[in-house]
Every structure is written in structure tokens, then in C-alpha cells.
Amino acid sequence: VWQYYCHMPIGCQLRAPIYRAPNMEVDHTALEHRVALWMSNYYKANGIFIWAGNFEWSNRGADVWKSPDFSGDAYRNAATHPYGGVHHGNGFLVYPPRTEGSPVLPSLRLKVLRDGMEDIAILNAIQKKYGKDAEAWINPVPEVFQHPQYFDALPETLLNKRTAILKKLRELTKNGK
């Protein structure tokens, strides 16, 4: 099972409005990018796919660093401009180099996803070591989220859960467990 993140997959059936689900767009909070990985781990997804996560900037042709003309075609036809329309950088994880030969620039979303991957690595290591005994104290439900489209929008909730998990782990390792 894989989870797929994009603004609106064609032909999908949703239980709740799309805006309630975590997504990878620029104007979604960083928490959403991180909690999405917690959800993927909880529901035992083997991986995630992010729309445009591997976007090839060198084929754009136009200078993407110029300010978009929101009165022209780029605004009316979102597919022709990566920052136009309702998608707001949907899934873009890196940005093109400002000068030729420079490296691509990581997005904040990519950095937050890295943090989420570190969280998942910790959770998986705990699960591997403690098995069923760890399920109660690493379970993110109901504090962090209750359903793939219903999560606590306060970043402190996820961070507090992470801290509680690490405190419990420290306690166990101090006691030789």
C-alpha cells in the first residue's frame, strides 16, 4: 500500500473535504507534511508518492524566478506555471538553481519531510525492539490524528507526542529494558 499526495486526484471519492486532509502544497502548514508521514506509518503504508516530487526544472524553458503575471495566461491556466492557480507549488520539493551550475534549492517541505522520516525511523526502531508492548505509548491516535482527514492542527500536539515517546524510551533504556 502506498499513499499518494496531490491536490486533487481525478475521480477520487472523499469522505471529507480535501482541505481537511494533510497535503504537500506551499500554503499548507509544515505540520501537515510531517503528520502525513505519521499517518502513513500508522496505516502501514509501504511508502508515499508526492505529485511533482521529482519535477525536472531544467525542462521549464522560462525563468521560473521571475514574478508570475497573475493577470495573464499563467494565472488562468495553472498547468503552464508552477505557482499559479489553486495548486501553489503542489508537491514541489526542490526549486531550480538561481544560476546555471548551482545546486537545486531544498524547500521547507523537503526539510519537514526529513524531520518526519526521522520520527518514523524512531517509531519503527521502538516497534522493532519492544513490539506489542510499545503500541500503547507510540500510538498517535487520538492525540495527533483520528482519521486521515482529521488531525490536530496545533504543531505542539505532534511535538508533545514525540517528546513523550522519547521520554518513555529514555526511561526504559535507563532501566535496562
Side-chain angles (χ1 to χ4, degrees), residues 50-103:
I50 300 170
W51 164 257
N54 62 347
F55 188 78
E56 177 54 55
W57 287 104
S58 63
N59 292 333
R60 286 298 305 160
D63 182 359
V64 297
W65 289 109
K66 290 182 180 174
S67 295
D69 175 8
F70 290 112
S71 63
D73 289 337
Y75 183 69
R76 283 193 288 278
N77 185 358
T80 66
H81 195 276
Y83 306 110
V86 297
H87 296 289
H88 301 254
N90 186 13
F92 297 153
L93 300 178
V94 296
Y95 293 100
R98 287 197 177 265
T99 58
E100 193 169 325
S102 299

Side-chain angles (χ1 to χ4, degrees), residues 23-121:
N23 219 314
M24 302 294 164
E25 294 177 21
V26 172
D27 52 358
H28 283 239
T29 65
L31 169 68
E32 293 185 37
H33 315 316
R34 195 166 179 175
V35 79
L37 294 180
W38 282 59
M39 288 179 179
S40 294
N41 186 65
Y42 177 78
Y43 290 110
K44 305 205 182 314
N46 296 325
I48 65 168
F49 179 78
I50 300 170
W51 164 257
N54 62 347
F55 188 78
E56 177 54 55
W57 287 104
S58 63
N59 292 333
R60 286 298 305 160
D63 182 359
V64 297
W65 289 109
K66 290 182 180 174
S67 295
D69 175 8
F70 290 112
S71 63
D73 289 337
Y75 183 69
R76 283 193 288 278
N77 185 358
T80 66
H81 195 276
Y83 306 110
V86 297
H87 296 289
H88 301 254
N90 186 13
F92 297 153
L93 300 178
V94 296
Y95 293 100
R98 287 197 177 265
T99 58
E100 193 169 325
S102 299
V104 294
L105 303 170
S107 67
L108 179 60
R109 287 174 310 291
L110 184 61
K111 293 177 181 185
V112 171
L113 286 170
R114 178 201 57 213
D115 293 341
M117 287 186 267
E118 290 171 357
D119 295 342
I120 299 313

